[in-house]
């Protein structure tokens, strides 16, 4: 993983404690001392363990005036004092000596931790000449923006804070307690980061339940690219917690699925959800694939069995909300209400295949339209139906009362003004479904409703496929009501 890495070692004074819990540290990055003090109080209020005073962020910082104020007792939280120079990614642009003097003053004033960069640690220690107060722990930091150090380079005798920066390093910030990391950073909110890729402290504590993560905690997650928008971590973490399942669910931003699965091959990485663009590659990467998922060539759930083998399923197929598509139609109990209906699927990816397959199973006449026509043809051939281009779909209205299912990402946040089919062309459809569920009401659904169609939201599919995944992950029945409530109120 070519991602910037930040490694800090905490001096042996802290090493005496046997596997302490990973501390959640909030960086205080305000420009004015008064605001920084308010950040300390806010960090304490959300349950952080430490606050990092980033002195280099302060405008017109005067150590003798500002430090006694910032470190005044009683402090809301233990203080980690950092005065980061530009050459290590900070904002201080001056000589080392005044910087060192400010850090020594912070020690005298009772700061619990002081951070010093590895490159100048010897120089700083010489200046200290043994005068470091016993109660103050020294954090020696190294930020490598070029590459990730090897495992050998990371071998250590003292507690380590090992964090990978940027989006690809996100999991290193959440999984610290599993691997004995001394401390992890969580911000007070978006835009308050002191390094790229930091989660909020509230998410670490409440969403990822970091206090409950330990060496035995199983890791699950959603593999995708992009993946940051996914609501699955909110849903699965709360569902795990509700049944007392010792697991955490994280976003995995993955470029190459096969490489990812061979790297994260530990039994502790026990299961994955798969989303764009990896559902099809997932079929090839699994040792065994559920026959229906294999037939349509899309896997959205991967489970690592105790023997280490990866097994692929598709919970989109079995949990398609097809029943809702015709809930308003008069039904003959002996046949599916979809039987004989003309069912147009836009998209030929994982979700498109699941919808097309499910509708075909229920007796619908399925038509596939896709941007890449060859893929439309492949899917149409698989399920036995015609294929269209997206241009042809605009003028396609062989009959009234058709059903439309969008399974492309068109209209998904942030491109909320896009729609896969013009409002004019929607006139022949009685029911319109959109697999996109961010936003909850897409432009497609809004315009279809305006044209009088019954609309079905992608949220229902999301809830049902997630419940299917939960059952694969845990072997327990999904907490139906709780998962619905979370999706409807928190995502
Ligand atoms: P996928 O396998 O990568 O397939 C993406 C499909 O969208 C392909 O047919 C692709 O066409 C088409 N597409 C993508 N961008 C397009 C664009 N700009 N214009 C036209 N067509 C475009 O992805 P997927 O897993 O099927 O997911 C597709 C969408 O469904 C996503 O928005 C996803 O969030 C949503 N989804 C929702 C649920 C749910 O539970 N509600 C479940 C699964 C998926 P090409 O073949 O031409 O590339």
């Amino acid at each position: 993983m070519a991602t910037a890495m930040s490694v800090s070692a905490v001096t042996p004074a802290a090493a005496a404690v046997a596997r302490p819990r990973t501390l959640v540290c909030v960086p205080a990055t305000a420009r004015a001392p008064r605001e920084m003090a308010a950040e300390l109080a806010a960090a304490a209020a959300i349950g952080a363990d430490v606050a990092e005073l980033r002195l280099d962020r302060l405008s017109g910082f005067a150590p003798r005036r500002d430090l006694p104020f910032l470190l005044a007792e009683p402090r809301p939280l233990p203080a980690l004092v950092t005065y980061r120079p530009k050459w290590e990614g900070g904002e201080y642009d001056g000589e080392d000596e005044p910087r060192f003097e400010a850090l020594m003053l912070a020690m005298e004033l009772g700061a619990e931790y002081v951070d010093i960069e590895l490159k100048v640690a010897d120089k700083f220690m010489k200046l200290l000449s043994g005068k470091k107060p016993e109660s103050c722990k020294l954090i020696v930091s190294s930020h490598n923006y070029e590459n990730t150090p090897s495992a050998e380079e990371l071998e250590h005798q003292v507690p380590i804070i090992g964090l990978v920066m940027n989006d690809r390093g996100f999991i290193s910030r959440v999984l610290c307690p599993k691997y004995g990391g001394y401390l992890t950073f969580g911000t007070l909110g978006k835009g308050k980061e002191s390094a790229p890729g930091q989660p909020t402290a509230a998410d670490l504590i409440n969403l990822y339940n970091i206090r409950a993560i330990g060496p035995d905690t199983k890791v699950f997650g959603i593999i995708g690219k992009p993946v940051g928008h996914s609501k699955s971590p909110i849903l699965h973490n709360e569902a795990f917690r509700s049944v007392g399942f010792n697991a955490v669910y994280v976003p995995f931003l993955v470029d190459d699925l096969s490489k990812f699965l061979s790297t994260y091959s530990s039994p502790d990485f026990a299961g994955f959800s798969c989303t764009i663009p990896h559902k099809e590659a997932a079929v090839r990467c699994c040792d065994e694939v559920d026959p229906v998922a294999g037939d349509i060539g899309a896997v959205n759930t991967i489970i690592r069995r105790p023997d280490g083998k990866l097994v692929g399923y598709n919970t989109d197929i079995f949990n398609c909300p097809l029943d809702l598509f015709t809930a308003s139609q008069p039904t003959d109990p002996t046949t599916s209400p979809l039987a004989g209906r003309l069912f147009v699927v836009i998209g030929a990816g994982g979700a498109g295949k699941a919808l097309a397959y499910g509708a075909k199973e229920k007796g619908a006449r399925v038509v596939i339209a896709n941007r890449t026509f060859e893929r439309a043809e492949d899917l149409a051939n698989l399920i036995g139906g015609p294929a269209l281009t997206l241009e042809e779909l605009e003028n396609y209205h062989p009959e009234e009362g058709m059903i439309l299912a969008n399974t492309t990402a068109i209209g998904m946040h942030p491109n909320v003004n896009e729609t896969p089919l013009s409002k004019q062309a929607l006139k022949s459809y009685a029911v319109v479904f959109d697999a996109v569920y961010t936003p909850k009401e897409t432009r497609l659904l809004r315009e279809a409703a305006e044209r009088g169609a019954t609309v079905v939201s992608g949220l229902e599919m999301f809830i049902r496929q997630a419940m299917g995944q939960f059952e694969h992950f845990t072997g327990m029945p999904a907490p139906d009501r709780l998962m619905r409530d979370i999706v409807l109120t928190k995502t």
Side-chain angles (χ1 to χ4, degrees):
M1 195 189 300
T3 306
M5 176 105 185
S6 154
V7 182
S8 308
V10 186
T11 51
V17 187
R19 194 149 193 148
R21 83 171 187 185
T22 298
L23 303 174
V24 174
C25 178
V26 168
T29 57
R31 295 287 176 193
R34 200 162 288 282
E35 286 167 29
M36 194 173 269
E39 288 180 332
L40 262 60
I46 55 174
D49 303 296
V50 184
E52 181 189 30
L53 278 63
R54 282 295 299 260
L55 303 183
D56 52 303
R57 299 271 305 177
L58 290 167
S59 319
F61 171 55
R64 299 227 160 253
R65 179 194 65 201
D66 297 332
L67 278 175
F69 169 73
L70 287 166
L71 294 171
E73 299 277 4
R75 277 195 293 282
L77 282 177
L80 155 57
V81 176
T82 301
Y83 201 1
R84 188 76 74 224
K86 276 203 163 160
W87 49 261
E88 186 83 5
E91 295 190 14
Y92 175 80
D93 195 11
E95 298 299 319
D96 277 340
E97 280 65 26
R99 196 165 70 84
F100 290 174
E101 277 166 24
L103 293 175
M104 284 161 62
L105 177 61
M107 284 182 175
E108 276 170 39
L109 292 168
E112 284 80 357
Y113 301 89
V114 161
D115 181 295
I116 188 72
E117 300 73 26
L118 177 63
K119 280 185 200 149
V120 292
D122 281 347
K123 199 168 147 193
F124 183 65
M125 293 304 276
K126 236 177 241 159
L127 199 68
L128 262 182
S129 61
K131 290 194 295 253
K132 180 178 83 58
E134 190 63 17
S135 59
C136 184
K137 298 175 183 85
L138 206 57
I139 296 183
V140 179
S141 286
S142 171
H143 296 78
N144 183 340
Y145 292 92
E146 306 302 321
N147 50 41
T148 305
S150 65
E152 291 72 37
E153 284 175 80
L154 290 174
E155 267 180 20
H156 58 94
Q157 301 299 320
V158 293
I160 283 274
I161 303 166
L163 298 168
V164 185
M165 283 182 269
N166 285 312
D167 294 345
R168 283 170 180 73
F170 183 86
I171 59 169
S172 70
R173 300 182 179 277
V174 176
L175 299 181
C176 275
K178 182 168 172 63
Y179 298 103
Y182 186 79
L183 175 154
T184 187
F185 291 94
T187 69
L188 281 178
K190 300 247 175 292
K192 298 257 185 189
E193 296 81 11
S194 62
Q198 289 171 346
T200 65
D203 276 356
L204 281 176
I205 295 167
N206 303 322
L207 194 166
Y208 294 105
N209 206 8
I210 195 165
R211 306 290 192 211
I213 298 177
D216 299 334
T217 301
K218 295 280 181 208
V219 183
F220 295 84
I222 179 157
I223 296 171
K225 187 185 173 185
V227 77
H229 68 285
S230 173
K231 308 293 184 199
S232 296
I234 300 177
L235 186 57
H236 284 292
N237 281 310
E238 201 157 330
F240 287 164
R241 192 175 350 194
S242 75
V243 297
F245 187 61
N246 182 11
V248 61
Y249 186 101
V250 292
F252 291 112
L253 177 57
V254 170
D255 302 293
D256 180 330
L257 182 65
S258 153
K259 212 163 157 189
F260 170 83
L261 291 170
S262 58
T263 306
Y264 289 84
S265 57
S266 141
D268 279 0
F269 285 76
F272 310 98
S273 310
C274 251
T275 188
I276 297 177
H278 297 305
K279 284 183 185 176
E280 292 168 27
V283 178
R284 297 187 291 279
C285 292
C286 286
D287 299 297
E288 285 175 27
V289 173
D290 171 83
V292 178
D295 278 353
I296 65 162
V299 154
N300 81 331
T301 309
I302 302 175
I303 300 298
R304 192 186 305 282
R305 276 199 322 227
D307 64 2
K309 296 250 186 294
L310 295 172
V311 189
Y313 301 92
N314 191 317
T315 65
D316 287 336
I317 303 171
F318 295 110
N319 299 279
C320 273
L322 291 170
D323 50 319
L324 298 183
F325 286 27
T326 48
S328 59
Q329 308 292 316
T331 56
D332 166 359
T334 59
T335 57
S336 158
L338 280 180
R341 302 285 297 273
L342 196 58
F343 193 108
V344 177
V345 176
I346 314 179
K353 287 172 174 171
L355 263 291
Y357 187 93
K360 181 73 184 175
E361 286 282 286
K362 303 266 184 221
R365 293 173 288 136
V366 180
V367 177
I368 311 294
N370 193 45
R371 175 177 63 181
T372 308
F373 182 65
E374 294 70 34
R375 293 185 81 202
E377 279 188 313
D378 288 348
L379 179 55
N381 289 339
L382 186 73
I383 51 151
L388 301 174
T389 63
L390 292 183
E391 293 69 36
E392 286 167 336
L393 185 64
E394 273 300 312
N395 298 310
Y396 182 76
H397 40 79
E399 61 191 57
E400 296 303 308
M402 300 188 289
I403 299 175
L404 180 72
N406 172 46
T407 70
T408 72
I410 301 173
M412 186 165 92
H413 184 82
N415 305 315
V416 295
N417 289 324
E418 294 179 3
T419 187
L421 201 59
S422 70
K423 188 171 177 183
Q424 162 71 15
L426 289 172
K427 68 177 187 304
S428 308
Y429 294 92
V431 182
V432 175
F433 166 78
D434 200 341
V436 173
Y437 59 92
T438 49
K440 286 177 189 165
E441 189 193 51
T442 58
R443 178 174 163 194
L444 174 69
L445 292 188
R446 193 173 62 247
E447 292 185 344
E450 283 165 9
R451 296 229 60 142
T454 300
V455 295
V456 180
S457 155
L459 273 184
E460 187 58 33
M461 181 169 173
F462 176 64
I463 293 169
R464 294 187 194 190
Q465 61 79 25
M467 292 199 307
Q469 290 187 330
F470 179 94
E471 289 173 7
H472 282 298
F473 292 157
T474 64
M476 299 182 214
D480 183 332
R481 185 176 292 266
L482 176 101
M483 291 180 82
R484 268 173 202 286
D485 282 353
I486 298 168
V487 170
L488 296 175
T489 60
K490 295 197 183 172
T491 63

